[in-house]
Amino acid sequence: MARQGFATDVSREQFESVRGMLEEARKKTRPRKHDLYDVFCAVLFFLDRGGAWRSLPPEFPPWRTVHEYFTQWTMAREGAPTLLEQVLQRAGKPEAVQQLHKLLERR
């Protein structure tokens, strides 16, 4: 079932340019329950709106799932930007990179 679109979503074409990077971050132990595109768009929504993870709209995958992916994608890499930073830059989302930096500074 297709979900409603949000202003923060990237197009499917933009997402395809970064899909491989995101898929490599997780070992494939079982099939995904949620479309990785929807998870990524939920992260973009969270970065744009802030607030609590629990306040993600119900059209997105469960907030705990989105948070788990976010945690994996923002793991510190010695002397290198996080995977999420790299993906956001490649997807042409500089404003999301800035929001991510603000969020990570608070950790």
Side-chain angles (χ1 to χ4, degrees), residues 88-104:
L88 292 171
Q89 289 170 351
R90 182 179 282 183
K93 302 295 266 178
E95 67 287 345
V97 174
Q98 291 175 348
Q99 290 301 109
L100 177 62
H101 288 166
K102 289 178 187 175
L103 186 65
L104 294 177

Side-chain angles (χ1 to χ4, degrees), residues 48-67:
D48 183 66
R49 304 286 167 87
W53 285 104
R54 292 175 189 252
S55 67
L56 283 174
E59 293 87 357
F60 289 122
W63 72 267
R64 286 188 171 129
T65 300
V66 177
H67 181 265

Side-chain angles (χ1 to χ4, degrees), residues 7-75:
T8 54
D9 288 357
V10 295
S11 68
R12 288 276 181 177
E13 293 77 28
Q14 286 175 298
F15 179 71
E16 288 306 318
S17 72
V18 297
R19 177 188 288 279
M21 295 171 70
L22 295 173
E23 285 182 343
E24 290 177 12
R26 178 179 169 258
K27 294 177 184 166
K28 294 181 181 179
T29 55
R30 64 179 186 258
R32 294 184 199 279
K33 290 182 181 178
H34 304 283
D35 186 348
L36 197 56
Y37 171 78
D38 290 334
V39 173
F40 182 65
C41 288
V43 168
L44 292 175
F45 182 91
F46 174 77
L47 289 173
D48 183 66
R49 304 286 167 87
W53 285 104
R54 292 175 189 252
S55 67
L56 283 174
E59 293 87 357
F60 289 122
W63 72 267
R64 286 188 171 129
T65 300
V66 177
H67 181 265
E68 179 59 33
Y69 276 94
F70 178 83
T71 301
Q72 290 175 15
W73 295 344
T74 58
M75 291 174 69

